[in-house]
Amino acid sequence: MFFYKPRLIYSNKYLDNFLINLGFIVKKIDIIGLKSIDKQQIIKNISYYDCSNLLCLNLKQTKKKLEKIDWIKSVKLNLVLPSGLRIVINEEKASFILKKEEYFSVLNFEGKVLESGQYLNLKYSNLLVLDGTGVKNNIYDLIKILDTSPALAKNITDATLISKRRWSLIYDSNIIIDLPEIEPEKAFKQISDLNKKHGLLSNRLEKIDLRLDNRMIIKMKTIRKLLKESKV
């Protein structure tokens, strides 16, 4: 009857009650994969047809509603006879923090906003902070730069897009790395190689500027906070 005449189940109250009395009613909901979403947010989006027994669950509509939640990438639902529902959630992964004035937004790897607020949750404090006009549309370019040296990239704490055309990075929360507009990946790799060979990124540095062709300007920290420039 469920497979061949499902509407009979949805519209017949006597049959609905009969199935409920047989135990075909949701008593247990297993939700797998939740990390950033409250369980009640999932439950309140479960949809039924115009009846209450287990077979009245509208799995297609429930899936559609759940996948509209920003944090959810995909959903799988299965009935567990006679009285269970199993929901498998594939959540988005938090990859970046977008800073805009006094607000913060958590972004996935593609720049999709997962949540926003005036305060940043501590569990996201290790994510790379993005800033600058148009930065969301240029995340892929930033990823290409960072991928040239994963070891160096893991210590980049901030990335600002300057004038929609070049990147200024912050290493270990205190050293500024200004990359050139042209071939920024090559410049980032150069910094990485120099750091491996000579320990370039020491606490004595304040800034490394690679915006000029074939030239690296290094600004050192001094006791008097004066800036000394060295050409490498």
Side-chain angles (χ1 to χ4, degrees):
M1 187 179 295
F2 174 68
F3 289 106
Y4 295 105
K5 294 185 178 181
R7 291 195 177 190
L8 183 61
I9 295 176
Y10 306 151
S11 60
N12 192 309
K13 292 183 180 180
Y14 295 103
L15 184 55
D16 185 29
N17 290 330
F18 176 72
L19 290 171
I20 290 172
N21 290 332
L22 285 178
F24 287 88
I25 187 171
V26 178
K27 295 179 180 178
K28 183 180 180 181
I29 300 175
D30 289 325
I31 304 176
I32 300 169
L34 284 188
K35 296 178 182 178
S36 303
I37 310 169
D38 183 74
K39 182 178 180 180
Q40 291 303 315
Q41 189 176 4
I42 302 298
I43 293 175
K44 74 179 183 181
N45 280 286
I46 295 175
S47 296
Y48 283 81
Y49 291 102
D50 191 22
C51 49
S52 304
N53 69 77
L54 180 72
L55 304 182
C56 292
L57 281 168
N58 188 335
L59 300 183
K60 183 177 180 180
Q61 181 65 18
T62 299
K63 176 180 171 68
K64 185 177 180 180
K65 288 169 66 177
L66 289 176
E67 290 182 346
K68 287 183 178 180
I69 297 174
D70 290 331
W71 269 105
I72 294 180
K73 190 172 186 178
S74 62
V75 177
K76 291 183 179 179
L77 300 103
N78 298 101
L79 298 181
V80 182
L81 299 177
S83 59
L85 173 64
R86 187 172 186 262
I87 304 174
V88 180
I89 303 291
N90 181 18
E91 282 194 4
E92 296 278 6
K93 181 181 178 182
S95 301
F96 304 100
I97 295 295
L98 175 64
K99 182 181 178 182
K100 189 174 182 181
E101 297 178 353
E102 299 299 323
Y103 286 87
F104 298 93
S105 296
V106 180
L107 308 181
N108 72 355
F109 198 68
E110 298 172 340
K112 175 187 174 183
V113 177
L114 304 179
E115 67 175 76
S116 298
Q118 195 168 1
Y119 301 98
L120 179 62
N121 193 311
L122 287 177
K123 67 180 179 180
Y124 304 128
S125 59
N126 64 326
L127 297 180
L128 178 60
V129 178
L130 307 179
D131 198 1
T133 303
V135 69
K136 277 181 57 180
N137 298 324
N138 289 272
I139 288 179
Y140 179 68
D141 294 333
L142 175 63
I143 291 172
K144 285 198 301 182
I145 294 170
L146 299 178
D147 280 349
T148 61
S149 178
L152 180 60
K154 69 180 182 180
N155 290 308
I156 299 298
T157 57
D158 299 73
T160 301
L161 185 62
I162 308 294
S163 301
K164 298 183 180 181
R165 56 187 178 83
R166 68 174 184 85
W167 292 96
S168 180
L169 311 178
I170 297 182
Y171 174 87
D172 203 20
S173 299
N174 60 41
I175 301 175
I176 299 172
I177 302 175
D178 280 336
L179 297 177
E181 181 179 354
I182 299 174
E183 294 187 321
E185 300 93 342
K186 183 179 178 180
F188 190 73
K189 185 66 166 56
Q190 181 183 15
I191 291 290
S192 177
D193 292 342
L194 287 172
N195 189 48
K196 289 178 182 178
K197 293 179 181 179
H198 308 292
L200 176 66
L201 297 170
S202 70
N203 290 330
R204 293 176 298 170
L205 288 185
E206 181 171 316
K207 185 176 183 179
I208 302 176
D209 192 339
L210 299 103
R211 289 176 292 173
L212 300 178
D213 286 341
N214 300 317
R215 188 179 182 191
M216 179 185 295
I217 299 176
I218 297 178
K219 294 185 178 181
M220 308 291 295
K221 294 177 183 176
T222 66
I223 296 176
R224 297 180 182 179
K225 294 185 179 181
L226 296 175
L227 300 178
K228 292 175 63 178
E229 292 192 2
S230 298
K231 184 165 67 176
V232 178

